[in-house]
Amino acid sequence: MKTLAIILLIAFATAATPPPPPAARTAAYLEAIRRDGDPTRLTEFLDAMPKGGDLHHHLSGAVYAESYINYAAEDGDCFDATFTIVPPPCDPAQGRSPATRAQTDYGYRNLTIDALSARNFAPTTGDTSILVHFFKTFFKFDLVVNKHWGEELAEVVHRAAIQHEIYLETILGVDKGAAIELGSKLAWNDNFDTMRAALDAAGMPHVVAQARRDLDAGERDMRSILHCEGPTPDPGCGVTLRYQHFVLRAFPKAQAFAQMQAGFEIADADPRVVSINPVQPQEDYIPLKDFELQLRMFAYFHKLYPKIHLSMHAGELFLGVAPPEDMHDVAHIRDTIDVGHAERIGHGLDVLSEPDPQGLLAEMARKHILVEDPIFIHELIGPGVVGGDVLPIYLAAHVPVSLATDDEGGARSDLTQTFRRAVEGYHISYPTLKTMVRDSLQHAFVSGADLWAGPEAFTAMTGACADQPAADVPALAACRKFLATSEKATLEWREEAAFARFESRFKM
Ligand SMILES: [Zn+2]
């Protein structure tokens, strides 16, 4: 009798234990893969995982060298002896080979690809640093970048879609360099109002109008290449695409100001352009010298255009590329947030070198400042951080992070590879990966109210959609009505449905 009671008790206890929810089963599956060191299952898992948005993505750095070779060949251009694309006439005797040679001569092709990317980098006289080599690649393909937007956009949204990304913010010079030209004709004036008026009088409205037409043309070409209007559209057509206008911060102050003004005026006129972002090596002469001045310019334009979001490169210094004083005496990340009004920062590598790093991390967590972390490229070209990315530091401090590619073409990588580095290099668990994916959409500069009840609070959805089970279309009419009003919430809902489908695969 006693034995029967025990058996019944065990049976009852077993029956009463609910099966683990799909998210927990998925997390356990990833841990099992990690324990077994199974690269095949890890690849399958990360390939299929929904990845939200890539928030730090340079269009010209994302395009692979093979595409640049094709553009140069199409345009009749040549490669010089340093593999820089130069205009015709080509003359092999003078070291100017037709670009078509990189399509037909296998050895030459591979040397070209290495020169246009960080692949196979080996120090040689005059090319001693992978970091400098990498930044120099941008000059090598500069001639063709702005002539092929449609093809470039088609390449990157297709790549995003097949990796299960649904959102992309790509950084480019939306004005194709016109503002730099404008700024070069004006003398600097310390009065920002006077500068702005002079630039408007010199033709800034034309720069803005032309940039919008160029974006229209680029998107039209992209959609045509991807057959977005046809019966079998490429999956890339489903990726929501937004742009950030870059400011080349190594330019003198009048040109930096002009680029910033162009960016804010374009973003004000065109909702596709969502941020203005300073780029180029932070350790270069002008970016360090004019750091505070450029932030004051950002603050000036922010006051004029307070609704325009800002994500900025910040904290890209590490010991070895910059003197210690430039890292310790200037609060690059803190000032970018406090003075420049950045809502997100890219890289954030030197957080521990800033004055009061703990205070800074606490401030970032409190203000919900997201860090866009391109781990793969940090490890590739940041000698100070090999095997030691800042990802665990930010996560431990509860600062939101999203994984990003930065320059997947130059680095010969993609977002899946970046996820893989997070798992293999930093033992990031499935729940943390999923949080970073949700962060990427919550912190995306796409319009509309948020699906979630609070920042980084991914346990409760907002009013109308609360307690709604994940499905392609919400069952409740009020939730459907809410989603129709918000592009951001729609993306977030779409991602939750994708997570439900993904997690239903794992039965263990
Ligand atoms: Zn970047």
Side-chain angles (χ1 to χ4, degrees):
M1 193 64 191
K2 197 176 168 190
T3 314
L4 182 64
I6 290 169
I7 290 169
L8 280 174
L9 199 64
I10 292 170
F12 178 76
T14 309
T17 306
R25 289 200 308 266
T26 308
Y29 182 84
L30 181 59
E31 286 315 305
I33 295 172
R34 196 201 308 276
R35 200 172 50 239
D36 299 347
D38 184 336
T40 310
R41 286 197 297 160
L42 180 61
T43 303
E44 280 172 0
F45 184 95
L46 293 178
D47 278 351
M49 184 175 168
K51 299 185 186 68
D54 188 349
L55 302 183
H56 194 115
H57 177 280
H58 296 264
L59 182 59
S60 62
V63 170
Y64 267 63
E66 286 84 341
S67 302
Y68 286 127
I69 290 171
N70 291 342
Y71 305 158
E74 270 173 47
D75 298 352
D77 294 329
C78 337
F79 284 110
D80 73 7
T82 67
F83 298 97
T84 301
I85 303 171
V86 292
C90 307
D91 181 359
Q94 297 295 316
R96 296 161 70 93
S97 295
T100 48
R101 186 180 166 196
Q103 293 176 316
T104 55
D105 177 336
Y106 178 71
Y108 185 79
R109 177 178 180 79
N110 277 281
L111 290 173
T112 310
I113 293 169
D114 289 352
L116 297 180
S117 71
R119 192 183 78 168
N120 292 330
F121 176 78
T124 54
T125 310
D127 192 13
T128 54
S129 150
I130 188 168
L131 180 72
V132 177
H133 174 93
F134 173 78
F135 275 116
K136 279 169 123 179
T137 62
F138 290 88
F139 295 100
K140 291 183 174 151
F141 45 69
D142 187 55
L143 183 69
V144 294
V145 159
N146 286 328
K147 298 175 188 167
H148 295 268
W149 276 6
E151 289 143 289
E152 293 164 13
L153 292 172
E155 175 177 330
V156 298
V157 295
H158 171 80
R159 187 178 303 133
I162 60 172
Q163 294 180 87
H164 306 284
E165 296 164 47
I166 58 173
Y167 180 74
L168 188 60
E169 267 175 38
T170 193
I171 307 167
L172 74 165
V174 180
D175 66 337
K176 299 190 173 179
I180 290 181
E181 191 67 29
L182 218 54
S184 69
K185 293 178 190 144
L186 293 181
W188 174 251
N189 190 313
D190 282 328
N191 183 312
F192 291 171
D193 286 334
T194 308
M195 271 307 285
R196 187 164 62 93
L199 282 160
D200 276 336
M204 191 60 87
H206 298 293
V207 171
V208 174
Q210 185 60 45
R212 299 189 68 191
R213 282 195 294 273
D214 287 343
L215 273 185
D216 289 342
E219 290 197 344
R220 203 166 47 239
D221 291 349
M222 169 189 76
R223 296 184 69 76
S224 158
I225 292 164
L226 298 176
H227 307 291
C228 292
E229 269 58 67
T232 52
D234 184 277
C237 303
V239 173
T240 300
L241 181 62
R242 293 290 182 272
Y243 307 95
Q244 296 190 17
H245 174 70
F246 67 57
V247 171
L248 297 173
R249 60 185 166 189
F251 275 79
K253 48 196 174 185
Q255 285 151 297
F257 188 94
Q259 294 176 75
M260 232 178 269
Q261 182 169 336
F264 276 93
E265 291 190 14
I266 294 166
D268 187 51
D270 196 319
R272 291 172 295 184
V273 180
V274 294
S275 177
I276 292 85
N277 198 329
V279 305
Q280 288 187 309
Q282 189 165 21
E283 74 279 10
D284 203 358
Y285 177 68
I286 289 181
L288 285 179
K289 181 176 75 72
D290 287 353
F291 176 68
E292 295 293 347
L293 173 65
Q294 290 183 359
L295 285 187
R296 279 192 280 114
M297 293 177 191
F298 268 107
Y300 169 76
F301 284 112
H302 173 74
K303 207 167 169 193
L304 291 171
Y305 303 101
K307 288 189 184 146
I308 292 171
H309 295 288
L310 288 171
S311 173
M312 300 197 205
H313 283 71
E316 292 167 271
L317 305 174
F318 45 86
L319 208 55
V321 300
E325 295 73 25
D326 278 317
M327 297 167 60
H328 299 301
D329 298 354
V330 184
H332 286 104
I333 298 174
R334 188 189 289 271
D335 287 356
T336 299
I337 296 163
D338 291 350
V339 182
H341 299 276
E343 297 161 60
R344 304 190 328 229
I345 61 155
H347 301 286
L349 276 175
D350 61 10
V351 61
L352 296 185
S353 307
E354 292 244 340
D356 184 21
Q358 284 203 34
L360 171 62
L361 288 164
E363 178 186 336
M364 292 173 77
R366 194 175 63 250
K367 291 183 172 174
H368 308 286
I369 305 292
L370 177 130
V371 177
E372 304 150 0
D373 189 352
I375 308 173
F376 185 84
I377 212 158
H378 284 168
E379 293 185 335
L380 185 72
I381 66 170
V385 292
V386 169
D389 189 63
V390 284
L391 178 62
I393 296 169
Y394 286 113
L395 291 178
H398 305 289
V399 175
V401 177
S402 73
L403 298 177
T405 53
D406 201 10
D407 298 286
E408 58 192 2
R412 311 291 289 183
S413 65
D414 59 18
L415 193 59
T416 306
Q417 177 81 347
T418 304
F419 272 57
R420 189 172 188 130
R421 280 305 302 150
V423 171
E424 292 188 325
Y426 304 92
H427 303 289
I428 300 300
S429 67
Y430 178 70
T432 304
L433 283 181
K434 188 175 177 182
T435 296
M436 290 195 284
V437 169
R438 286 166 159 174
D439 276 327
S440 75
L441 295 176
Q442 186 173 58
H443 292 264
F445 294 152
V446 67
S447 65
D450 198 4
L451 178 64
W452 300 100
E456 297 111 43
F458 301 122
T459 47
M461 289 183 185
T462 198
C465 295
D467 304 321
Q468 282 290 287
D472 286 339
V473 179
L476 199 66
C479 179
R480 291 199 298 274
K481 204 170 155 194
F482 165 66
L483 295 186
T485 66
S486 168
E487 205 171 357
K488 175 179 278 189
T490 299
L491 281 173
E492 291 175 310
W493 180 273
R494 195 175 142 195
E495 194 69 342
E496 292 307 303
F499 272 125
R501 280 194 299 277
F502 174 67
E503 290 169 359
S504 71
R505 297 167 168 216
F506 305 103
K507 307 296 182 198
M508 66 177 284

